[in-house]
Amino acid sequence: CDIAVAPEPRSLFVATYNSTGPEVVWRSAGTTLGEFWGQVLTMDTTSNRIILRLSPSYSRDYTIYVVEVGGDLIAVSHNRGNSWKKQHAPEPVIDMAVEDEDTIYIALHNGFIQKSTDAAWTWQDDVDSGLSKINMLSVAEGGTVLVGGSNGEVAYSLDGGNTFTKIPEDIGDGSVQVKDDINYKENGIIYASSDKGVYRWSIGVSTTWQQIVKESEIASLAVGSEGTLYALKPSEGVMRLLNPSTS
């Protein structure tokens, strides 16, 4: 399953999988989120898995994407899920990141990334990220594309996905999650987690990763609106760093 929490107008979107039928996206809205649910999309996939991605400006553009992981189906709604347009990716998708209502990036096999600027209607040529295999994508404030690999690697693009720079030093051997600092536009700081812990890097400044959490098996990262960094360790719970850019 997957879940997306939309800001104003407040809504919850949940994706459910079904090995014997189509996948479904549900929406809950109103004053008591999660009490009442309505089906807003069905997607008959071959991989039996879909993910949800909101536009960073959802409160203004009401845009949500639904993507088939391991397949090529993409659906986009610009009106909070009330209606949808279905498109296709050029190849099976590993992950997607949304920059704005029309600009998206998809991770493909063998470390390649492809971009669309018209909500998946057409696609630019694929670009080599420099990584052997991609685990995830995200877009930092200002449009920097961040790429977490499956073998401890991290790369980024400062020019809208035209070129990518791989950080020479890896941070382990496992899958990497990457998030930008709350003040990324000012300090260029990103955080990355792997099987060895959580690390910090300042783009254009750092020459080596700085380890800020030594716990292993970090599965996910999140940055709160106040700047707190949260690291999920499934076997123990959630850790937090109140001042991750300086700790």
Side-chain angles (χ1 to χ4, degrees):
C1 296
D2 197 12
I3 187 169
V5 182
E8 298 297 334
R10 296 173 65 240
S11 302
L12 283 176
F13 293 93
V14 171
T16 58
Y17 313 148
N18 189 341
S19 61
T20 60
E23 282 59 59
V24 179
V25 178
W26 305 82
R27 180 181 63 193
S28 176
T31 56
T32 307
L33 291 182
E35 184 174 1
F36 301 103
W37 294 89
Q39 180 177 305
V40 294
L41 176 70
T42 60
M43 184 179 285
D44 194 4
T45 70
T46 57
S47 66
N48 298 323
R49 185 186 175 196
I50 55 177
I51 55 175
L52 309 174
R53 296 291 183 263
L54 295 176
S55 164
S57 301
Y58 178 89
S59 59
R60 296 193 299 272
D61 59 42
Y62 307 137
T63 298
I64 179 171
Y65 285 84
V66 182
V67 189
E68 179 187 9
V69 175
D72 66 355
L73 296 180
I74 296 174
V76 56
S77 172
H78 296 299
N79 57 11
R80 297 179 290 173
N82 292 318
S83 63
W84 299 83
K85 291 182 179 179
K86 293 186 178 181
Q87 309 287 7
H88 289 270
E91 296 181 34
V93 175
I94 296 172
D95 194 20
M96 173 189 278
V98 180
E99 182 175 345
D100 57 44
E101 60 182 317
D102 294 319
T103 306
I104 57 177
Y105 301 86
I106 54 173
L108 309 175
H109 293 289
N110 299 318
F112 282 84
I113 292 172
Q114 226 163 338
K115 177 181 181 180
S116 173
T117 57
D118 53 11
W121 180 258
T122 62
W123 296 90
Q124 299 179 6
D125 292 340
D126 57 5
V127 178
D128 191 348
S129 69
L131 306 189
S132 57
K133 185 179 180 182
I134 296 174
N135 178 56
M136 57 76 64
L137 296 177
S138 65
V139 180
E141 186 180 4
T144 298
V145 184
L146 305 175
V147 191
S150 297
N151 300 295
E153 304 164 304
V154 176
Y156 60 87
S157 173
L158 301 177
D159 58 8
N162 291 322
T163 60
F164 286 85
T165 300
K166 179 185 179 298
I167 295 178
E169 182 184 4
D170 297 341
I171 58 170
D173 300 314
S175 296
V176 176
Q177 296 285 326
V178 189
K179 295 293 291 183
D180 54 308
D181 182 71
I182 192 69
N183 295 313
Y184 170 81
K185 288 185 71 174
E186 289 74 39
N187 59 27
I189 289 176
I190 62 174
Y191 306 102
S193 66
S194 72
D195 57 342
K196 300 292 180 63
V198 180
Y199 297 78
R200 180 174 63 219
W201 181 278
S202 180
I203 293 175
V205 176
S206 296
T207 58
T208 188
W209 287 98
Q210 183 174 4
Q211 190 173 29
I212 57 175
V213 174
K214 294 184 178 180
E215 296 284 342
S216 61
E217 300 177 2
I218 301 298
S220 184
L221 295 177
V223 176
S225 59
E226 76 294 344
T228 300
L229 177 66
Y230 298 90
L232 172 64
K233 185 174 183 179
S235 60
E236 296 184 11
V238 177
M239 296 172 285
R240 66 175 185 170
L241 281 74
L242 298 179
N243 299 291
S245 64
T246 58
S247 61

